[in-house]
Amino acid sequence: MVPEATFTSYYGRPVLKAPSWHPADIAGYLFLGGLAGGSSIVAAGADLTGRPGLARTTRVGALGAVTLSGLALVHDLGRPSRFVNMLRVIKLTSPMSVGSWILTAYAPLAAGAAGSDVLGRWPRTGRLLGLGAAVLAPALVSYTAVLICDTAVPAWHEAYPDMPFVFVGSSAASAAGLGLLTAPAQAEPCRRLAMFGGLLEIGASRRIVHRTSFVAEAYRLGRARTLLRAAEGLTGFGIVGGLLGRRRHWLSRLAGLALLAGGACERFGLFEAGMISATDPKYVVVPQRRADLH
Amino acid sequence: MIEDNSLFGPVDAAPNAGDVAPPARVGFFTDTSVCIGCKACEVACKEWNGIPEDGINLLGSSYDNTGALGASTWRHVAFIEQTRPRPDDGHEQVRWLMSSDVCKHCTHAACLDVCPTGALFRTEFGTVVVQDDVCNGCGYCIPACPFGVIDQRKGPAGDRNVGLAQKCTLCYDRLLDDATPACATACPTESIQFGELDELRVRAARRLEALQNAGRSEARLYGEDPNDGVGGSGSMFLLLDEPEVYGLPPDPVVTTRDVMAMWRRAALAGGALVAGAVICFLGGQP
Ligand code: SF4
């Protein structure tokens, strides 16, 4: 245990400014972007292994998720009409800049893949576009971890080694959930992917939550704690339900829903913990004082 | 190009941003030991920069009814009342600390590093400024700043910069006309000093020495060291207590120091995802 520390502050006021991001927009974006990328990977796998039903629902899911996530991003801007200013520059030091370019490249590919599948036109082009989307997907689902960690928000910044693993695990689990929900008959690989992604999400998330650091406490407080616990329960249920649901499609579907809900709770929980750590000056002052001693 | 000290460590700010033959870097030295808490700086800043009113409240924190730096507060005078025993006879005595805070115009400015539109830029004077006509209000700079300086302007409705990130420009417009920033001009005690950064550093060191020689052992400089976590500030301070007493972070580090390590972790995780997915689709039962 880290001992309770004494610290001074200016009338208890925050040292940092908490993000002005609306949780529904930005935590929602983290979830939907992850779902989109994960779904593109599942769709490509399904396509290449002859599971057209699963390929179709995950392609459509990827397009739906990326569309909603883009809308959430634009909605959160102080000047939504200036959205295109995101594409004025390319900056490696700005994960949001990198992400804007990834999204810009990814979204048309996802749209083409879904469009060709649903319309039944240009199957070969559609397949290529789908594979292209899957190639970009790992970047799409992991850059968002860098996005939140590359801030002065103590709980996010210190978690940067583990955060991308939570994000990719959670994305895989959510996409597997979508597959189990919409195409249980062809979702055999999704059962395994749910286990892989779900366990990665739970394991990496636990590393963050139970880190021996003063700041990690923020993950164990209030709504962050509730959401992260719910995430773990739902994801755990989803993994087991997926494995037991081979002959019970209703159970597969239920597991799929649980995985999706678990993924959403995970992102909202991580988001909330960041807010807690940004608003209380002790999470800024105490660790910086400790670093002083070394 | 990212070079050794592009993201961390001591550099000259404007040349590091690619400026060829810029003028000398300028900044503020705020000597809080002579601040009288008149708030002329707050007023002059608002007047010159056309900043809207952002709350007329009684905050119950001594004479500070401004609260904190923010989108519409680019200078903020902190007031701290302390009761402590006098060194000679132990008699309880009240002392008042006052300090005018401002954007640090960091050598390595996280706000600027993470800005996705290029709205935040490094001026030829080495300062950090938001271009109001480029910013789209994404808000990324806000949690990036380790000092809690920059914020999104929320109102009043009709103000032309509502929705945009706003902070001190170190009076960029005045600098272009060889004029001193409004706050430093208005300060009646020269607590806020404006000048070339190198010269201010010398002045700050001299003032610190003088105070310490006079027995003020609690005096210290803040933000003057180019080897600190932000590569040194463009605004340095002489404080009479720990930084956190004034609401300043004691040892801030620019978040982008770690950004390349973050990308590497993300790449590793992305690779793990691909490997995991391949195994899930190829392994096991059909
Ligand atoms: S103090 Fe904050 S807003 Fe000012 S330059 Fe540094 S990071 Fe940017």
Side-chain angles (χ1 to χ4, degrees):
Chain A
M1 263 324 287
V2 184
E4 192 50 57
T6 52
F7 77 106
T8 24
S9 75
Y10 184 67
Y11 299 101
R13 287 180 198 149
V15 172
L16 302 175
K17 293 269 183 290
S20 58
W21 299 328
H22 304 286
D25 285 335
I26 298 304
Y29 166 72
L30 299 178
F31 168 66
L32 290 167
L35 175 61
S39 299
S40 286
I41 291 177
V42 171
D47 187 22
L48 295 174
T49 56
R51 294 178 170 90
L54 178 63
R56 170 167 302 179
T57 60
T58 45
R59 278 174 177 158
V60 172
L63 175 58
V66 77
T67 307
L68 285 177
S69 76
L71 289 176
L73 277 189
V74 175
H75 180 253
D76 197 67
L77 294 179
R79 287 289 167 89
S81 60
R82 292 189 186 173
F83 163 72
V84 288
N85 284 8
M86 291 288 188
L87 304 181
R88 278 179 83 240
V89 290
I90 302 184
K91 284 169 77 174
L92 256 190
T93 59
S94 170
M96 197 179 286
S97 164
V98 174
S100 300
W101 287 100
I102 294 174
L103 260 181
T104 305
Y106 168 86
L109 296 172
S116 129
D117 195 329
V118 170
L119 301 175
R121 305 284 298 274
W122 309 293
R124 239 179 295 170
T125 317
R127 163 175 275 192
L128 274 179
L129 294 176
L131 292 177
V135 166
L136 289 180
L140 178 66
V141 306
S142 61
Y143 98 82
T144 40
V146 183
L147 177 83
I148 63 167
C149 293
D150 189 18
T151 58
V153 175
W156 291 341
H157 187 99
E158 78 155 25
Y160 81 78
D162 296 312
M163 196 68 84
F165 291 91
V166 182
F167 276 40
V168 303
S170 177
S171 302
S174 298
L178 181 67
L180 286 168
L181 176 68
T182 56
Q186 294 184 354
E188 183 53 34
C190 291
R191 301 179 203 282
R192 294 190 287 265
L193 190 63
M195 187 164 72
F196 164 76
L199 291 180
L200 186 58
E201 174 194 325
I202 292 173
S205 180
R206 282 196 172 188
R207 276 173 61 93
I208 291 175
V209 175
H210 299 295
R211 238 177 117 101
T212 33
S213 84
F214 179 72
V215 172
E217 178 188 89
Y219 290 97
R220 305 191 293 266
L221 294 176
R223 232 179 359 185
R225 170 194 160 100
T226 314
L227 285 162
L228 290 171
R229 288 205 158 177
E232 197 170 303
L234 287 162
T235 303
F237 173 82
I239 295 172
V240 176
L243 293 174
L244 298 180
R246 288 200 168 89
R247 288 200 182 74
R248 279 160 265 176
H249 286 176
W250 63 268
L251 182 56
S252 289
R253 291 207 160 91
L254 197 62
L257 273 179
L259 288 165
L260 286 164
C265 288
E266 181 74 45
R267 309 305 177 107
F268 278 83
L270 296 172
F271 188 88
E272 184 63 30
M275 290 297 200
I276 292 171
S277 75
T279 336
D280 191 330
K282 76 178 174 193
Y283 296 117
V284 176
V285 173
V286 173
Q288 291 188 13
R289 275 279 162 230
R290 292 241 167 88
D292 265 9
L293 301 175
H294 302 148
Chain B
M1 263 312 284
I2 293 180
E3 283 157 32
D4 273 1
N5 278 351
S6 295
L7 298 177
F8 193 68
V11 292
D12 195 356
N16 188 48
D19 215 321
V20 277
R25 184 175 177 190
V26 299
F28 290 124
F29 168 46
T30 306
D31 177 359
T32 71
S33 69
V34 294
C35 176
I36 54 169
C38 71
K39 302 187 197 174
C41 51
E42 286 191 17
V43 175
C45 176
K46 284 234 178 199
E47 284 288 330
W48 177 261
N49 293 297
I51 302 174
E53 176 261 305
D54 58 340
I56 298 176
N57 306 306
L58 291 175
L59 301 181
S61 41
S62 187
Y63 277 81
D64 175 10
N65 294 307
T66 306
L69 290 175
S72 300
T73 302
W74 297 353
R75 270 276 177 191
H76 163 237
V77 182
F79 288 74
I80 302 118
E81 292 173 32
Q82 294 177 330
T83 313
R84 45 173 62 194
R86 216 159 31 195
D88 38 348
D89 57 1
H91 189 79
E92 289 277 295
Q93 196 186 26
V94 174
R95 83 165 175 166
W96 231 343
L97 301 178
M98 287 155 277
S99 167
S100 177
D101 195 11
V102 68
C103 169
K104 313 302 174 292
H105 294 276
C106 309
T107 301
H108 297 289
C111 62
L112 189 163
D113 283 347
V114 305
C115 174
T117 63
L120 272 153
F121 80 112
R122 177 79 58 186
T123 73
E124 61 272 39
F125 303 105
T127 56
V128 179
V129 175
V130 185
Q131 301 172 80
D132 297 335
D133 54 342
V134 175
C135 175
N136 65 10
C138 77
Y140 199 4
C141 51
I142 298 164
C145 170
F147 298 94
V149 168
I150 194 165
D151 206 355
Q152 188 177 44
R153 186 167 288 169
K154 298 281 169 22
D159 178 84
R160 70 195 158 86
N161 289 341
V162 167
L164 308 183
Q166 299 280 284
K167 71 168 192 73
C168 161
T169 67
L170 219 144
C171 282
Y172 188 37
D173 49 353
R174 294 174 66 98
L175 295 191
L176 290 171
D177 272 343
D178 272 331
T180 299
C183 55
T185 310
C187 179
T189 65
E190 292 188 346
S191 168
I192 300 175
Q193 302 175 30
F194 165 81
E196 293 184 5
L197 212 54
D198 289 338
E199 194 208 319
L200 290 178
R201 279 207 186 95
V202 176
R203 242 192 266 174
R206 231 187 279 139
R207 175 68 181 153
L208 177 69
E209 204 189 314
L211 280 173
Q212 285 184 334
N213 287 343
R216 308 286 301 270
S217 59
E218 75 277 23
R220 73 205 69 198
L221 296 180
Y222 181 80
E224 90 296 356
D225 181 2
N227 291 302
D228 70 15
V230 298
S233 306
S235 322
M236 59 192 115
F237 299 81
L238 187 147
L239 305 176
L240 298 175
D241 205 332
E242 304 287 0
E244 58 265 39
V245 169
Y246 298 87
L248 295 163
D251 189 13
V253 174
V254 58
T255 177
T256 33
R257 176 190 69 180
D258 301 323
V259 72
M260 289 304 149
M262 293 179 188
W263 285 126
R264 282 194 291 276
R265 293 297 289 181
L268 204 62
L273 172 63
V274 173
V278 167
I279 292 168
C280 290
F281 270 92
L282 297 184
Q285 299 150 293

